[in-house]
Amino acid sequence: MAGHSADPSSRVPNYRGIDSPMWLPPIRLPNLYMSDLAAAWPAGLPFVCLSQGGRFQIVPTHFREVTWSELAAVSVVKPSLDGEPMHHGYVGVISYDQYADDQTCWPNDAASMAKSRILSVDSALVYDRTESVLYVPRQTETRHPGDTWVDAGAVAERLTVQADPSEPHCPSLDLEATSPDGAYEAQVDRVISDIQAGRYYQLNLLRYFRFSKQLSRGDLLRRMDLCGGAMSCYFELPDLTLLSLSPERFITIRSGLRGAKIGAFPIKGTAPRHDGDLQADRRAASTLRDSAKDRAELAMIVDLMRNDLNQVCQPGTVQVRHHASLMAARGVHHLYSEIEGNLALPLSWGQLLGKLCPAGSITGAPKREVMQAIAQYEGRKRGYFMGHAFTLDQNGNFDSSVLIRTLVRHDHDYFEYAAGSGLVIGSDAVAERLEIAAKCRVATNSAKRENGSIYKSRSQGLEHGYQENL
């Protein structure tokens, strides 16, 4: 059932046996859940967690919020190869609107734009789920006004003496669409008419949903523990609560033989998985892999992202390493490709992200025209939906997600969710609506831990570890 390439996260270095003055001795903690770590966190303080390919969980313990302009001015460098996990650097969430506003018909209204949130990190806990090891940073108590500072050693100690670790469970959530099914299907038909008229080739159209159930930090992190994809993340900051269960990696920057190497990993094509029926599940995967419509949809985005990468890479270095590989994620199968190139330095992070954001997989082709059409059809700003979460470590390594499968709290009153699909000339409105429903179920079905398995979803009936590409 696997595609012909390995999970990109499998190429992350093995950090076992690390010995550095930046770290305390590592602690072995089998099956550490982020909801358990949050329970050991001081009450009332912000909490942030990001996954890196599902293997590593990064939890900043000393950080401060900084402006977007600070990150944008930092130079991209060739990452070093010293083999240490993230101790300090930057983490953040980039709004879809950060770069989309310049290319759409929206007025320049900063007050209505979801603000990208950037954190400068001085220390972080890192949990390696492959080795079941928690890396604890050595910290300085030097603080500045506005800093969040949490004693990482004390949190780790509380985890080691925890007598009864939780058995995670999350109940189902009932989403309510903000527009009727018929209205959505009519929009799909209008988009298809645009494509037939030659306005664009592919457009990613979102449906928006909401629910009013109040969920605590523990509730949200249990859902991340049980349902989170390889690139899941959680941000709880002043005026922002965001949970993303994303399986989609956006871009990475690593050290290469000829400088800084950038990789992009677009996802396109979706098929629901089958509850407890292995043969049906394999048939669904095979049908998706052989689907001419879905492969064409992915090929368009690969071509677009090759063009995006060519704007920031050395001439002749951009190539497609793998195309239309199968990703077996929780609840759904996807197709994905991998594109890479050698960065043409010098570049600032503002320049680099300005050429690549938002991702082609959640906009369409050609990107500029499609982003204008998205604003027209959706009639609102996307905010954090379809934006990006990222880590930039002290060695210059960069990892980022696309914020799909994402819940955002509004004014402590309700949560909003968005899901979309790529519309092409061969799309069918009802089939696209059902695809979106499958993507909603991934984030909203009940799930629990059973018989020692880290992940088991009642509705899916299939067990999964952290690895997304099987």
Side-chain angles (χ1 to χ4, degrees):
M1 190 165 62
H4 60 269
S5 70
D7 178 356
S9 66
S10 66
R11 295 194 298 277
V12 178
N14 186 342
Y15 297 125
R16 181 168 43 189
I18 189 172
D19 182 15
S20 166
M22 291 195 298
W23 302 93
L24 297 170
I27 301 170
R28 184 162 296 281
L29 288 173
N31 294 343
L32 174 63
Y33 293 94
M34 290 300 101
S35 52
D36 291 334
L37 194 153
W41 201 259
L45 290 183
F47 185 85
V48 173
C49 174
L50 299 97
S51 297
Q52 292 188 309
R55 174 176 173 178
F56 297 101
Q57 304 276 7
I58 311 296
V59 181
T61 53
H62 182 192
F63 57 91
R64 71 195 64 86
E65 188 156 0
V66 298
T67 63
W68 171 262
S69 59
E70 176 175 325
L71 173 71
V74 174
S75 295
V76 181
V77 297
K78 177 185 177 181
S80 61
L81 288 172
D82 60 7
E84 290 186 337
M86 180 170 180
H87 183 279
H88 59 273
Y90 290 92
V91 303
V93 56
I94 302 173
S95 164
Y96 172 91
D97 304 321
Q98 181 70 47
Y99 287 106
D101 267 15
D102 292 338
Q103 302 182 46
T104 66
C105 58
W106 293 114
N108 185 20
D109 181 4
S112 65
M113 184 179 81
K115 178 184 176 185
S116 297
R117 306 292 290 270
I118 311 300
L119 306 178
S120 175
V121 177
D122 289 342
S123 66
L125 287 162
V126 178
Y127 183 60
D128 182 341
R129 299 171 76 184
T130 298
E131 304 295 339
S132 298
V133 167
L134 180 69
Y135 294 104
V136 183
R138 297 184 188 275
Q139 293 175 283
T140 173
E141 293 205 18
T142 303
R143 301 172 224 178
H144 304 281
D147 282 11
T148 294
W149 190 92
V150 174
D151 188 332
V155 170
E157 185 176 357
R158 284 193 285 272
L159 290 169
T160 60
V161 300
Q162 188 172 343
D164 185 22
S166 66
E167 292 289 314
H169 169 264
C170 55
S172 60
L173 302 175
D174 296 322
L175 296 181
E176 179 182 352
T178 58
S179 62
D181 290 350
Y184 165 76
E185 291 174 11
Q187 276 193 324
V188 172
D189 289 337
R190 289 196 294 272
V191 170
I192 294 172
S193 295
D194 279 353
I195 296 171
Q196 292 171 335
R199 181 178 176 186
Y200 39 76
Y201 304 108
Q202 181 180 162
L203 181 144
N204 186 275
L205 182 68
L206 298 188
R207 285 196 82 184
Y208 293 89
F209 305 82
R210 63 169 59 188
F211 66 93
S212 299
K213 184 175 182 178
Q214 294 302 309
L215 298 177
S216 67
R217 174 186 291 180
D219 294 331
L220 293 165
L221 285 166
R222 277 187 288 275
R223 188 164 296 277
M224 178 175 168
D225 287 331
L226 292 165
C227 306
M231 300 304 296
S232 54
C233 67
Y234 178 77
F235 284 81
E236 187 179 326
L237 300 170
D239 304 317
L240 175 63
T241 300
L242 178 151
L243 170 68
S244 178
L245 308 174
S246 177
E248 184 170 2
R249 189 168 244 149
F250 176 37
I251 59 170
T252 62
I253 295 177
R254 302 282 185 238
S255 180
L257 293 176
R258 298 182 180 179
K261 185 170 290 294
I262 186 169
F265 309 88
I267 283 176
K268 276 294 160 193
T270 301
R273 302 198 68 168
H274 289 263
D275 186 4
D277 188 336
L278 182 59
Q279 293 303 315
D281 196 53
R282 286 175 172 168
R283 285 195 298 271
S286 179
T287 298
L288 174 63
R289 190 168 46 209
D290 296 337
S291 166
K293 180 258 185 187
D294 290 298
R295 293 178 73 92
E297 185 180 331
L298 178 60
M300 292 179 196
I301 299 307
V302 167
D303 190 54
L304 182 153
M305 296 192 76
R306 286 174 58 202
N307 181 66
D308 283 354
L309 290 187
N310 269 314
Q311 297 181 70
V312 296
C313 286
Q314 299 170 19
T317 65
V318 175
Q319 59 181 321
V320 179
R321 295 191 71 249
H322 304 289
H323 181 60
S325 298
L326 185 70
M327 173 185 289
R330 295 178 187 85
V332 289
H333 295 289
H334 290 301
L335 296 178
Y336 82 100
S337 294
E338 181 177 348
I339 313 157
E340 70 173 22
N342 297 328
L343 282 177
L345 301 179
L347 279 171
S348 69
W349 282 104
Q351 291 169 327
L352 175 66
L353 294 172
K355 296 294 186 183
L356 304 180
C357 294
S361 62
I362 46 77
T363 50
K367 186 188 282 189
R368 184 178 297 273
E369 176 65 27
V370 162
M371 288 167 68
Q372 294 173 352
I374 285 171
Q376 170 193 336
Y377 280 112
E378 294 181 8
R380 54 165 287 173
K381 291 175 182 283
R382 284 184 166 182
Y384 298 110
F385 298 117
M386 312 299 127
H388 309 283
F390 73 90
T391 60
L392 171 61
D393 72 17
Q394 68 279 357
N395 302 317
N397 296 292
F398 183 85
D399 204 357
S400 57
S401 71
V402 181
L403 291 175
I404 58 176
R405 319 283 198 272
T406 296
L407 296 164
V408 179
R409 177 180 278 149
H410 289 268
D411 299 325
H412 304 283
D413 184 29
Y414 66 93
F415 281 86
E416 193 172 27
Y417 181 84
S421 62
L423 305 180
V424 294
I425 199 166
S427 292
D428 172 79
V430 174
E432 299 295 340
R433 176 172 59 80
L434 294 176
E435 178 179 323
I436 286 175
K439 293 172 179 176
C440 289
R441 287 194 295 273
V442 173
T444 60
N445 278 335
S446 64
K448 61 182 176 180
R449 182 188 186 203
E450 292 181 358
N451 301 323
S453 171
I454 294 181
Y455 299 110
K456 187 168 184 177
S457 167
R458 179 172 60 82
S459 59
Q460 297 164 18
L462 296 169
E463 296 181 13
H464 307 281
Y466 68 84
Q467 188 168 323
E468 289 290 325
N469 300 338
L470 305 181

